[in-house]
Amino acid sequence: MTIKAILFDAYGTLFDVYSVKEKCEQHFQGKGEEISRTWREKQLEYCFLTQILQKYEPFDQLTEKALRASLAIHGTEGSEKECAELMKEYEQLSPFEETEEVLKQLKGKQTFIYSNGTRGMLEPLIENNGFQDLIGALSADEIRQYKPSPASYSYAMEKLGLDKTDILFVSSNQWDIAGASSFGFKTAWINRAREPVSALGFEPANIYSDLKGLLEEK
Amino acid sequence: MTIKAILFDAYGTLFDVYSVKEKCEQHFQGKGEEISRTWREKQLEYCFLTQILQKYEPFDQLTEKALRASLAIHGTEGSEKECAELMKEYEQLSPFEETEEVLKQLKGKQTFIYSNGTRGMLEPLIENNGFQDLIGALSADEIRQYKPSPASYSYAMEKLGLDKTDILFVSSNQWDIAGASSFGFKTAWINRAREPVSALGFEPANIYSDLKGLLEEK
């Protein structure tokens, strides 16, 4: 295998975005699950929309707007303090069960997070989970072009100083796999939710049910 | 008022995309509603995704892929013949209750559909509803740049030979309103589903619960 570096998506791939659910439930009883789900949907929608509109806004701002949208959709609203507290949860997301062990086993390889999240979101998340010796961080915010745009993947490639074919890109998000495959990276889709393969095309090279599958690629 | 032309989105604005629900129900009993809903969600997702990936595919192809995706998600699949029959429904969507009357009252103004749908989808839809004397059709397919990209709205403007400020853009889709407002059109959001205003910004100039509101703008 000629892979020289592995790029990981953060949200949904290494870290569970639905781990904010409990905090949502504390603030908005009986609605925690649906608020956290719509929050994530709106976060992605706003990210795609600003990319298409060519009106970039940083991911932390979009995430906060998405939270407010979700609260409104579910017939509630949050104080400044509540929203700030919920936003803080994004720095403390839980990793998936196997994340740490897999990153440890991949030590010695070049591994980086490549996320739409800003450095200001990613660095505390890595530190709070004690992963600073296991993985580095690159953010699409540095080029202000969101994944899954070709410009975003191109930036990551140039930053690593490698060729497309040197890089394995890992994500549990099908839109991210579509973008990375279409750009020319080798891709591994972590299909945690057992979704059907996208009918759009741009398929992954490999599909695994969790990150442990990557150890076969070593 | 200085408006010289009114551009209408088609799907969800003049015509009800969920009118395919009954046909879905005939083919896939007990699942018609959820299949038609996911079909629409995937249609939009694929459209946004190919726009971001810069991998344009015509809307009829994306719509058929979206149908196959929806069927797979709901644990079923369709024969070639069934899918072709369901696709044919897109040429026979029902208009909303007030659509025809409002278009009649706007006669004398320049009115056009401006849709992501191809001409091959829009023209039969207009004819099957007997609207050929009421409204013209422009398609983003002509420039192979989907709404809500700035390039798509710019194309429509140039095609009409008018300035931004001469054009009122009407849609029930918030992403379309965001795109058109951000581009610089005057916009009217037909908020049929009584959704909260988007937290993203790019707000419409006016909000109406159905198309009849436009008659106030005359």
Side-chain angles (χ1 to χ4, degrees), chain A residues 46 48-53 55 62 65 69 72-73 148-150 175 178-179 182 196 198-200 202, chain B residues 46 48-53 55 57 62 65 69 72-73 148-150 175 178-179 182 196 198-200 202:
Chain A
Y46 288 175
F48 286 12
L49 211 43
T50 53
Q51 181 64 34
I52 296 174
L53 266 50
K55 297 275 178 181
L62 290 187
K65 287 183 174 183
I73 285 165
S149 68
W175 53 265
S182 154
S198 170
L200 186 60
F202 313 114
Chain B
Y46 288 176
F48 287 11
L49 210 43
T50 53
Q51 182 64 34
I52 297 175
L53 266 49
K55 298 275 178 178
E57 277 186 64
L62 291 187
K65 286 183 175 183
I73 285 165
S149 68
W175 53 264
S182 154
S198 170
L200 185 60
F202 314 113

mmCIF file of all heavy atoms in Angstrom, chain A residues 46 48-53 55 62 65 69 72-73 148-150 175 178-179 182 196 198-200 202, chain B residues 46 48-53 55 57 62 65 69 72-73 148-150 175 178-179 182 196 198-200 202:
data_model
loop_
_atom_site.group_PDB
_atom_site.id
_atom_site.type_symbol
_atom_site.label_atom_id
_atom_site.label_comp_id
_atom_site.label_asym_id
_atom_site.label_seq_id
_atom_site.Cartn_x
_atom_site.Cartn_y
_atom_site.Cartn_z
ATOM 1 N N TYR A 46 -26.709 24.522 6.341
ATOM 2 C CA TYR A 46 -26.151 25.886 6.275
ATOM 3 C C TYR A 46 -24.751 25.879 5.675
ATOM 4 O O TYR A 46 -24.353 26.808 4.957
ATOM 5 C CB TYR A 46 -26.133 26.526 7.668
ATOM 6 C CG TYR A 46 -27.511 26.909 8.196
ATOM 7 C CD1 TYR A 46 -27.669 27.412 9.488
ATOM 8 C CD2 TYR A 46 -28.655 26.775 7.410
ATOM 9 C CE1 TYR A 46 -28.922 27.774 9.981
ATOM 10 C CE2 TYR A 46 -29.903 27.128 7.899
ATOM 11 C CZ TYR A 46 -30.035 27.626 9.181
ATOM 12 O OH TYR A 46 -31.272 27.981 9.665
ATOM 13 N N PHE A 48 -23.553 23.650 3.465
ATOM 14 C CA PHE A 48 -23.688 23.429 2.017
ATOM 15 C C PHE A 48 -24.192 24.709 1.337
ATOM 16 O O PHE A 48 -23.720 25.092 0.269
ATOM 17 C CB PHE A 48 -24.692 22.304 1.728
ATOM 18 C CG PHE A 48 -24.179 20.917 2.016
ATOM 19 C CD1 PHE A 48 -23.005 20.716 2.731
ATOM 20 C CD2 PHE A 48 -24.874 19.805 1.578
ATOM 21 C CE1 PHE A 48 -22.532 19.432 2.993
ATOM 22 C CE2 PHE A 48 -24.409 18.518 1.835
ATOM 23 C CZ PHE A 48 -23.247 18.333 2.541
ATOM 24 N N LEU A 49 -25.159 25.327 1.980
ATOM 25 C CA LEU A 49 -25.799 26.499 1.383
ATOM 26 C C LEU A 49 -24.807 27.665 1.249
ATOM 27 O O LEU A 49 -24.694 28.269 0.180
ATOM 28 C CB LEU A 49 -26.982 26.890 2.267
ATOM 29 C CG LEU A 49 -28.199 27.531 1.627
ATOM 30 C CD1 LEU A 49 -28.607 26.871 0.337
ATOM 31 C CD2 LEU A 49 -29.374 27.485 2.621
ATOM 32 N N THR A 50 -24.078 27.966 2.297
ATOM 33 C CA THR A 50 -23.117 29.072 2.208
ATOM 34 C C THR A 50 -22.015 28.744 1.192
ATOM 35 O O THR A 50 -21.501 29.645 0.520
ATOM 36 C CB THR A 50 -22.476 29.427 3.571
ATOM 37 O OG1 THR A 50 -21.928 28.246 4.142
ATOM 38 C CG2 THR A 50 -23.503 30.024 4.517
ATOM 39 N N GLN A 51 -21.679 27.456 1.080
ATOM 40 C CA GLN A 51 -20.683 27.075 0.066
ATOM 41 C C GLN A 51 -21.219 27.359 -1.336
ATOM 42 O O GLN A 51 -20.525 27.941 -2.175
ATOM 43 C CB GLN A 51 -20.316 25.590 0.225
ATOM 44 C CG GLN A 51 -19.265 25.089 -0.759
ATOM 45 C CD GLN A 51 -17.905 25.761 -0.582
ATOM 46 O OE1 GLN A 51 -17.508 26.094 0.526
ATOM 47 N NE2 GLN A 51 -17.195 25.989 -1.675
ATOM 48 N N ILE A 52 -22.462 26.974 -1.601
ATOM 49 C CA ILE A 52 -23.048 27.196 -2.936
ATOM 50 C C ILE A 52 -23.244 28.693 -3.195
ATOM 51 O O ILE A 52 -23.019 29.184 -4.301
ATOM 52 C CB ILE A 52 -24.389 26.434 -3.093
ATOM 53 C CG1 ILE A 52 -24.149 24.924 -3.008
ATOM 54 C CG2 ILE A 52 -25.064 26.785 -4.424
ATOM 55 C CD1 ILE A 52 -25.420 24.089 -3.017
ATOM 56 N N LEU A 53 -23.642 29.417 -2.159
ATOM 57 C CA LEU A 53 -23.875 30.863 -2.299
ATOM 58 C C LEU A 53 -22.575 31.673 -2.362
ATOM 59 O O LEU A 53 -22.609 32.870 -2.634
ATOM 60 C CB LEU A 53 -24.702 31.373 -1.103
ATOM 61 C CG LEU A 53 -26.217 31.456 -1.248
ATOM 62 C CD1 LEU A 53 -26.827 30.167 -1.780
ATOM 63 C CD2 LEU A 53 -26.874 31.830 0.083
ATOM 64 N N LYS A 55 -20.804 32.467 0.173
ATOM 65 C CA LYS A 55 -20.913 33.412 1.290
ATOM 66 C C LYS A 55 -20.393 32.719 2.547
ATOM 67 O O LYS A 55 -21.152 32.380 3.467
ATOM 68 C CB LYS A 55 -22.386 33.799 1.498
ATOM 69 C CG LYS A 55 -23.030 34.518 0.331
ATOM 70 C CD LYS A 55 -22.755 36.010 0.379
ATOM 71 C CE LYS A 55 -23.372 36.685 -0.843
ATOM 72 N NZ LYS A 55 -23.121 38.120 -0.880
ATOM 73 N N LEU A 62 -21.999 29.093 12.042
ATOM 74 C CA LEU A 62 -23.088 28.329 11.403
ATOM 75 C C LEU A 62 -23.700 27.333 12.389
ATOM 76 O O LEU A 62 -24.909 27.104 12.375
ATOM 77 C CB LEU A 62 -22.573 27.572 10.178
ATOM 78 C CG LEU A 62 -22.184 28.394 8.967
ATOM 79 C CD1 LEU A 62 -21.870 27.472 7.788
ATOM 80 C CD2 LEU A 62 -23.282 29.375 8.574
ATOM 81 N N LYS A 65 -26.021 29.249 14.619
ATOM 82 C CA LYS A 65 -27.261 29.563 13.894
ATOM 83 C C LYS A 65 -28.124 28.307 13.736
ATOM 84 O O LYS A 65 -29.355 28.371 13.826
ATOM 85 C CB LYS A 65 -26.939 30.152 12.518
ATOM 86 C CG LYS A 65 -26.407 31.582 12.575
ATOM 87 C CD LYS A 65 -26.185 32.145 11.180
ATOM 88 C CE LYS A 65 -25.799 33.622 11.230
ATOM 89 N NZ LYS A 65 -25.639 34.217 9.882
ATOM 90 N N ALA A 69 -31.925 27.652 14.860
ATOM 91 C CA ALA A 69 -32.934 27.162 13.906
ATOM 92 C C ALA A 69 -33.633 25.925 14.458
ATOM 93 O O ALA A 69 -34.861 25.808 14.399
ATOM 94 C CB ALA A 69 -32.277 26.838 12.570
ATOM 95 N N ALA A 72 -36.088 26.822 17.186
ATOM 96 C CA ALA A 72 -37.300 27.442 16.627
ATOM 97 C C ALA A 72 -38.214 26.392 15.987
ATOM 98 O O ALA A 72 -39.432 26.412 16.178
ATOM 99 C CB ALA A 72 -36.923 28.511 15.602
ATOM 100 N N ILE A 73 -37.605 25.457 15.246
ATOM 101 C CA ILE A 73 -38.392 24.408 14.579
ATOM 102 C C ILE A 73 -39.131 23.558 15.607
ATOM 103 O O ILE A 73 -40.263 23.143 15.386
ATOM 104 C CB ILE A 73 -37.478 23.553 13.666
ATOM 105 C CG1 ILE A 73 -37.135 24.357 12.406
ATOM 106 C CG2 ILE A 73 -38.130 22.221 13.303
ATOM 107 C CD1 ILE A 73 -35.988 23.803 11.593
ATOM 108 N N PRO A 148 -17.875 19.518 0.885
ATOM 109 C CA PRO A 148 -17.123 18.650 -0.030
ATOM 110 C C PRO A 148 -16.654 19.352 -1.314
ATOM 111 O O PRO A 148 -16.607 18.717 -2.357
ATOM 112 C CB PRO A 148 -18.155 17.555 -0.347
ATOM 113 C CG PRO A 148 -19.463 18.295 -0.385
ATOM 114 C CD PRO A 148 -19.330 19.391 0.665
ATOM 115 N N SER A 149 -16.291 20.638 -1.282
ATOM 116 C CA SER A 149 -15.822 21.304 -2.506
ATOM 117 C C SER A 149 -14.440 20.784 -2.904
ATOM 118 O O SER A 149 -13.624 20.461 -2.031
ATOM 119 C CB SER A 149 -15.758 22.822 -2.283
ATOM 120 O OG SER A 149 -14.735 23.138 -1.365
ATOM 121 N N PRO A 150 -14.163 20.699 -4.196
ATOM 122 C CA PRO A 150 -12.831 20.265 -4.639
ATOM 123 C C PRO A 150 -11.728 21.145 -4.035
ATOM 124 O O PRO A 150 -10.666 20.638 -3.653
ATOM 125 C CB PRO A 150 -12.885 20.432 -6.160
ATOM 126 C CG PRO A 150 -14.334 20.429 -6.521
ATOM 127 C CD PRO A 150 -15.066 20.987 -5.339
ATOM 128 N N TRP A 175 -21.638 12.395 2.006
ATOM 129 C CA TRP A 175 -21.362 13.574 1.176
ATOM 130 C C TRP A 175 -19.862 13.877 1.156
ATOM 131 O O TRP A 175 -19.325 14.376 0.162
ATOM 132 C CB TRP A 175 -22.158 14.797 1.669
ATOM 133 C CG TRP A 175 -21.996 15.124 3.128
ATOM 134 C CD1 TRP A 175 -22.826 14.727 4.149
ATOM 135 C CD2 TRP A 175 -20.947 15.888 3.736
ATOM 136 N NE1 TRP A 175 -22.346 15.208 5.355
ATOM 137 C CE2 TRP A 175 -21.205 15.927 5.133
ATOM 138 C CE3 TRP A 175 -19.825 16.548 3.244
ATOM 139 C CZ2 TRP A 175 -20.380 16.593 6.040
ATOM 140 C CZ3 TRP A 175 -18.985 17.216 4.152
ATOM 141 C CH2 TRP A 175 -19.270 17.231 5.531
ATOM 142 N N ALA A 178 -18.274 11.262 -1.091
ATOM 143 C CA ALA A 178 -18.531 11.630 -2.492
ATOM 144 C C ALA A 178 -17.544 12.701 -2.939
ATOM 145 O O ALA A 178 -16.947 12.606 -4.015
ATOM 146 C CB ALA A 178 -19.966 12.122 -2.662
ATOM 147 N N GLY A 179 -17.346 13.723 -2.095
ATOM 148 C CA GLY A 179 -16.437 14.817 -2.433
ATOM 149 C C GLY A 179 -14.997 14.354 -2.543
ATOM 150 O O GLY A 179 -14.286 14.696 -3.505
ATOM 151 N N SER A 182 -14.559 11.928 -5.527
ATOM 152 C CA SER A 182 -14.646 12.682 -6.767
ATOM 153 C C SER A 182 -13.383 13.510 -6.984
ATOM 154 O O SER A 182 -12.918 13.679 -8.117
ATOM 155 C CB SER A 182 -15.906 13.556 -6.711
ATOM 156 O OG SER A 182 -15.785 14.686 -7.513
ATOM 157 N N PRO A 196 -27.726 2.439 2.969
ATOM 158 C CA PRO A 196 -27.427 1.941 1.621
ATOM 159 C C PRO A 196 -26.370 2.836 0.975
ATOM 160 O O PRO A 196 -26.275 4.016 1.292
ATOM 161 C CB PRO A 196 -28.754 2.082 0.865
ATOM 162 C CG PRO A 196 -29.793 2.414 1.871
ATOM 163 C CD PRO A 196 -29.100 2.953 3.085
ATOM 164 N N SER A 198 -24.821 5.320 -1.570
ATOM 165 C CA SER A 198 -25.474 6.418 -2.291
ATOM 166 C C SER A 198 -25.740 6.060 -3.746
ATOM 167 O O SER A 198 -24.887 5.465 -4.412
ATOM 168 C CB SER A 198 -24.585 7.663 -2.236
ATOM 169 O OG SER A 198 -25.093 8.650 -3.109
ATOM 170 N N ALA A 199 -26.904 6.439 -4.234
ATOM 171 C CA ALA A 199 -27.239 6.207 -5.646
ATOM 172 C C ALA A 199 -26.583 7.245 -6.552
ATOM 173 O O ALA A 199 -26.639 7.129 -7.776
ATOM 174 C CB ALA A 199 -28.758 6.233 -5.827
ATOM 175 N N LEU A 200 -25.943 8.257 -5.955
ATOM 176 C CA LEU A 200 -25.368 9.341 -6.753
ATOM 177 C C LEU A 200 -24.097 8.918 -7.482
ATOM 178 O O LEU A 200 -23.769 9.444 -8.542
ATOM 179 C CB LEU A 200 -25.060 10.546 -5.845
ATOM 180 C CG LEU A 200 -24.578 11.816 -6.546
ATOM 181 C CD1 LEU A 200 -25.608 12.327 -7.537
ATOM 182 C CD2 LEU A 200 -24.263 12.901 -5.516
ATOM 183 N N PHE A 202 -19.743 8.222 -7.104
ATOM 184 C CA PHE A 202 -18.582 8.674 -6.302
ATOM 185 C C PHE A 202 -18.402 7.751 -5.089
ATOM 186 O O PHE A 202 -18.358 8.199 -3.953
ATOM 187 C CB PHE A 202 -18.745 10.124 -5.847
ATOM 188 C CG PHE A 202 -19.176 11.046 -6.939
ATOM 189 C CD1 PHE A 202 -20.410 11.667 -6.900
ATOM 190 C CD2 PHE A 202 -18.351 11.282 -8.030
ATOM 191 C CE1 PHE A 202 -20.819 12.514 -7.913
ATOM 192 C CE2 PHE A 202 -18.749 12.135 -9.052
ATOM 193 C CZ PHE A 202 -19.989 12.752 -8.991
ATOM 194 N N TYR B 46 -28.818 15.657 -3.709
ATOM 195 C CA TYR B 46 -27.966 15.338 -4.865
ATOM 196 C C TYR B 46 -27.702 16.581 -5.716
ATOM 197 O O TYR B 46 -26.631 16.755 -6.280
ATOM 198 C CB TYR B 46 -28.611 14.247 -5.722
ATOM 199 C CG TYR B 46 -28.587 12.864 -5.085
ATOM 200 C CD1 TYR B 46 -29.212 11.779 -5.699
ATOM 201 C CD2 TYR B 46 -27.935 12.622 -3.879
ATOM 202 C CE1 TYR B 46 -29.183 10.509 -5.137
ATOM 203 C CE2 TYR B 46 -27.918 11.358 -3.303
ATOM 204 C CZ TYR B 46 -28.548 10.303 -3.934
ATOM 205 O OH TYR B 46 -28.526 9.053 -3.379
ATOM 206 N N PHE B 48 -27.624 19.744 -4.601
ATOM 207 C CA PHE B 48 -26.660 20.574 -3.872
ATOM 208 C C PHE B 48 -25.258 19.972 -3.977
ATOM 209 O O PHE B 48 -24.269 20.675 -4.164
ATOM 210 C CB PHE B 48 -27.037 20.688 -2.388
ATOM 211 C CG PHE B 48 -28.220 21.571 -2.111
ATOM 212 C CD1 PHE B 48 -29.041 22.030 -3.122
ATOM 213 C CD2 PHE B 48 -28.520 21.958 -0.809
ATOM 214 C CE1 PHE B 48 -30.127 22.852 -2.858
ATOM 215 C CE2 PHE B 48 -29.602 22.783 -0.528
ATOM 216 C CZ PHE B 48 -30.409 23.225 -1.559
ATOM 217 N N LEU B 49 -25.213 18.651 -3.806
ATOM 218 C CA LEU B 49 -23.923 17.977 -3.769
ATOM 219 C C LEU B 49 -23.212 18.080 -5.119
ATOM 220 O O LEU B 49 -22.025 18.436 -5.168
ATOM 221 C CB LEU B 49 -24.184 16.508 -3.399
ATOM 222 C CG LEU B 49 -23.136 15.746 -2.630
ATOM 223 C CD1 LEU B 49 -22.518 16.536 -1.503
ATOM 224 C CD2 LEU B 49 -23.747 14.452 -2.090
ATOM 225 N N THR B 50 -23.909 17.816 -6.204
ATOM 226 C CA THR B 50 -23.243 17.901 -7.508
ATOM 227 C C THR B 50 -22.826 19.345 -7.805
ATOM 228 O O THR B 50 -21.810 19.574 -8.446
ATOM 229 C CB THR B 50 -24.119 17.360 -8.668
ATOM 230 O OG1 THR B 50 -25.375 18.017 -8.633
ATOM 231 C CG2 THR B 50 -24.317 15.864 -8.550
ATOM 232 N N GLN B 51 -23.611 20.299 -7.305
ATOM 233 C CA GLN B 51 -23.229 21.710 -7.480
ATOM 234 C C GLN B 51 -21.916 21.999 -6.742
ATOM 235 O O GLN B 51 -21.003 22.614 -7.293
ATOM 236 C CB GLN B 51 -24.350 22.633 -6.986
ATOM 237 C CG GLN B 51 -24.058 24.117 -7.172
ATOM 238 C CD GLN B 51 -23.933 24.535 -8.639
ATOM 239 O OE1 GLN B 51 -24.613 23.998 -9.505
ATOM 240 N NE2 GLN B 51 -23.050 25.472 -8.913
ATOM 241 N N ILE B 52 -21.813 21.545 -5.500
ATOM 242 C CA ILE B 52 -20.584 21.787 -4.722
ATOM 243 C C ILE B 52 -19.407 21.020 -5.328
ATOM 244 O O ILE B 52 -18.288 21.527 -5.380
ATOM 245 C CB ILE B 52 -20.777 21.410 -3.234
ATOM 246 C CG1 ILE B 52 -21.852 22.298 -2.599
ATOM 247 C CG2 ILE B 52 -19.461 21.538 -2.467
ATOM 248 C CD1 ILE B 52 -22.211 21.924 -1.171
ATOM 249 N N LEU B 53 -19.664 19.805 -5.784
ATOM 250 C CA LEU B 53 -18.594 18.986 -6.369
ATOM 251 C C LEU B 53 -18.192 19.452 -7.775
ATOM 252 O O LEU B 53 -17.211 18.952 -8.328
ATOM 253 C CB LEU B 53 -19.057 17.516 -6.455
ATOM 254 C CG LEU B 53 -18.705 16.562 -5.317
ATOM 255 C CD1 LEU B 53 -19.040 17.124 -3.970
ATOM 256 C CD2 LEU B 53 -19.376 15.203 -5.509
ATOM 257 N N LYS B 55 -19.825 18.757 -10.443
ATOM 258 C CA LYS B 55 -20.042 17.565 -11.278
ATOM 259 C C LYS B 55 -21.503 17.552 -11.721
ATOM 260 O O LYS B 55 -22.297 16.723 -11.276
ATOM 261 C CB LYS B 55 -19.747 16.290 -10.467
ATOM 262 C CG LYS B 55 -18.324 16.154 -9.983
ATOM 263 C CD LYS B 55 -17.444 15.530 -11.055
ATOM 264 C CE LYS B 55 -16.000 15.462 -10.558
ATOM 265 N NZ LYS B 55 -15.098 14.835 -11.508
ATOM 266 N N GLU B 57 -25.013 17.070 -13.217
ATOM 267 C CA GLU B 57 -25.824 16.056 -13.906
ATOM 268 C C GLU B 57 -27.216 16.632 -14.029
ATOM 269 O O GLU B 57 -27.703 17.232 -13.083
ATOM 270 C CB GLU B 57 -25.939 14.782 -13.074
ATOM 271 C CG GLU B 57 -24.799 13.826 -13.202
ATOM 272 C CD GLU B 57 -25.094 12.531 -12.432
ATOM 273 O OE1 GLU B 57 -26.029 11.806 -12.774
ATOM 274 O OE2 GLU B 57 -24.381 12.283 -11.456
ATOM 275 N N LEU B 62 -30.776 13.122 -11.796
ATOM 276 C CA LEU B 62 -30.650 13.176 -10.324
ATOM 277 C C LEU B 62 -31.945 12.748 -9.656
ATOM 278 O O LEU B 62 -31.927 12.091 -8.614
ATOM 279 C CB LEU B 62 -30.278 14.589 -9.863
ATOM 280 C CG LEU B 62 -28.882 15.087 -10.200
ATOM 281 C CD1 LEU B 62 -28.632 16.428 -9.509
ATOM 282 C CD2 LEU B 62 -27.812 14.076 -9.784
ATOM 283 N N LYS B 65 -32.112 9.007 -9.743
ATOM 284 C CA LYS B 65 -31.198 8.447 -8.732
ATOM 285 C C LYS B 65 -31.767 8.626 -7.329
ATOM 286 O O LYS B 65 -31.631 7.757 -6.470
ATOM 287 C CB LYS B 65 -29.825 9.113 -8.835
ATOM 288 C CG LYS B 65 -29.013 8.660 -10.035
ATOM 289 C CD LYS B 65 -27.618 9.295 -10.047
ATOM 290 C CE LYS B 65 -26.783 8.741 -11.195
ATOM 291 N NZ LYS B 65 -25.400 9.284 -11.186
ATOM 292 N N ALA B 69 -32.554 5.892 -4.489
ATOM 293 C CA ALA B 69 -32.016 6.032 -3.129
ATOM 294 C C ALA B 69 -33.139 5.917 -2.106
ATOM 295 O O ALA B 69 -33.001 5.219 -1.094
ATOM 296 C CB ALA B 69 -31.306 7.379 -2.981
ATOM 297 N N ALA B 72 -34.298 2.353 -1.700
ATOM 298 C CA ALA B 72 -33.320 1.555 -0.948
ATOM 299 C C ALA B 72 -33.397 1.866 0.549
ATOM 300 O O ALA B 72 -33.378 0.960 1.388
ATOM 301 C CB ALA B 72 -31.909 1.811 -1.469
ATOM 302 N N ILE B 73 -33.516 3.161 0.869
ATOM 303 C CA ILE B 73 -33.588 3.569 2.280
ATOM 304 C C ILE B 73 -34.824 2.956 2.947
ATOM 305 O O ILE B 73 -34.779 2.564 4.109
ATOM 306 C CB ILE B 73 -33.574 5.107 2.387
ATOM 307 C CG1 ILE B 73 -32.152 5.619 2.119
ATOM 308 C CG2 ILE B 73 -34.074 5.598 3.755
ATOM 309 C CD1 ILE B 73 -32.051 7.113 1.834
ATOM 310 N N PRO B 148 -29.123 27.009 -5.674
ATOM 311 C CA PRO B 148 -29.055 28.450 -5.430
ATOM 312 C C PRO B 148 -27.687 29.106 -5.725
ATOM 313 O O PRO B 148 -27.307 30.040 -5.033
ATOM 314 C CB PRO B 148 -29.361 28.539 -3.936
ATOM 315 C CG PRO B 148 -28.715 27.307 -3.346
ATOM 316 C CD PRO B 148 -28.846 26.246 -4.422
ATOM 317 N N SER B 149 -26.952 28.646 -6.739
ATOM 318 C CA SER B 149 -25.655 29.285 -7.029
ATOM 319 C C SER B 149 -25.870 30.674 -7.635
ATOM 320 O O SER B 149 -26.830 30.886 -8.370
ATOM 321 C CB SER B 149 -24.845 28.416 -8.005
ATOM 322 O OG SER B 149 -25.467 28.408 -9.271
ATOM 323 N N PRO B 150 -24.984 31.612 -7.352
ATOM 324 C CA PRO B 150 -25.102 32.951 -7.955
ATOM 325 C C PRO B 150 -25.129 32.874 -9.486
ATOM 326 O O PRO B 150 -25.883 33.598 -10.136
ATOM 327 C CB PRO B 150 -23.839 33.675 -7.468
ATOM 328 C CG PRO B 150 -23.367 32.937 -6.277
ATOM 329 C CD PRO B 150 -23.823 31.517 -6.434
ATOM 330 N N TRP B 175 -34.046 27.664 0.744
ATOM 331 C CA TRP B 175 -32.686 27.690 0.168
ATOM 332 C C TRP B 175 -32.678 28.517 -1.118
ATOM 333 O O TRP B 175 -31.684 29.157 -1.448
ATOM 334 C CB TRP B 175 -32.167 26.267 -0.076
ATOM 335 C CG TRP B 175 -33.074 25.385 -0.882
ATOM 336 C CD1 TRP B 175 -33.988 24.486 -0.395
ATOM 337 C CD2 TRP B 175 -33.184 25.314 -2.314
ATOM 338 N NE1 TRP B 175 -34.654 23.868 -1.437
ATOM 339 C CE2 TRP B 175 -34.175 24.350 -2.624
ATOM 340 C CE3 TRP B 175 -32.544 25.964 -3.373
ATOM 341 C CZ2 TRP B 175 -34.546 24.035 -3.942
ATOM 342 C CZ3 TRP B 175 -32.905 25.647 -4.679
ATOM 343 C CH2 TRP B 175 -33.899 24.693 -4.952
ATOM 344 N N ALA B 178 -32.880 32.161 -0.086
ATOM 345 C CA ALA B 178 -31.552 32.579 0.389
ATOM 346 C C ALA B 178 -30.650 32.905 -0.800
ATOM 347 O O ALA B 178 -29.979 33.943 -0.825
ATOM 348 C CB ALA B 178 -30.918 31.488 1.254
ATOM 349 N N GLY B 179 -30.662 32.039 -1.801
ATOM 350 C CA GLY B 179 -29.818 32.243 -2.980
ATOM 351 C C GLY B 179 -30.217 33.480 -3.772
ATOM 352 O O GLY B 179 -29.369 34.289 -4.153
ATOM 353 N N SER B 182 -29.588 36.694 -1.694
ATOM 354 C CA SER B 182 -28.144 36.928 -1.612
ATOM 355 C C SER B 182 -27.612 37.433 -2.956
ATOM 356 O O SER B 182 -26.716 38.277 -3.009
ATOM 357 C CB SER B 182 -27.465 35.623 -1.186
ATOM 358 O OG SER B 182 -26.142 35.555 -1.628
ATOM 359 N N PRO B 196 -40.401 28.403 10.561
ATOM 360 C CA PRO B 196 -39.744 29.611 11.081
ATOM 361 C C PRO B 196 -38.804 30.188 10.021
ATOM 362 O O PRO B 196 -38.302 29.448 9.181
ATOM 363 C CB PRO B 196 -38.911 29.097 12.273
ATOM 364 C CG PRO B 196 -39.305 27.680 12.504
ATOM 365 C CD PRO B 196 -39.977 27.169 11.264
ATOM 366 N N SER B 198 -35.490 31.295 8.352
ATOM 367 C CA SER B 198 -34.161 30.701 8.483
ATOM 368 C C SER B 198 -33.265 31.533 9.391
ATOM 369 O O SER B 198 -33.253 32.765 9.303
ATOM 370 C CB SER B 198 -33.515 30.596 7.103
ATOM 371 O OG SER B 198 -32.155 30.234 7.236
ATOM 372 N N ALA B 199 -32.492 30.860 10.224
ATOM 373 C CA ALA B 199 -31.540 31.546 11.100
ATOM 374 C C ALA B 199 -30.270 31.938 10.347
ATOM 375 O O ALA B 199 -29.419 32.648 10.876
ATOM 376 C CB ALA B 199 -31.180 30.645 12.290
ATOM 377 N N LEU B 200 -30.164 31.495 9.081
ATOM 378 C CA LEU B 200 -28.937 31.753 8.322
ATOM 379 C C LEU B 200 -28.830 33.194 7.854
ATOM 380 O O LEU B 200 -27.738 33.725 7.668
ATOM 381 C CB LEU B 200 -28.881 30.808 7.103
ATOM 382 C CG LEU B 200 -27.610 30.847 6.260
ATOM 383 C CD1 LEU B 200 -26.393 30.473 7.103
ATOM 384 C CD2 LEU B 200 -27.724 29.921 5.056
ATOM 385 N N PHE B 202 -30.127 36.147 4.838
ATOM 386 C CA PHE B 202 -30.584 36.229 3.442
ATOM 387 C C PHE B 202 -32.109 36.151 3.381
ATOM 388 O O PHE B 202 -32.693 35.317 2.703
ATOM 389 C CB PHE B 202 -29.965 35.130 2.573
ATOM 390 C CG PHE B 202 -28.488 34.964 2.769
ATOM 391 C CD1 PHE B 202 -27.956 33.809 3.331
ATOM 392 C CD2 PHE B 202 -27.617 35.985 2.407
ATOM 393 C CE1 PHE B 202 -26.599 33.659 3.510
ATOM 394 C CE2 PHE B 202 -26.248 35.836 2.575
ATOM 395 C CZ PHE B 202 -25.747 34.665 3.137
#
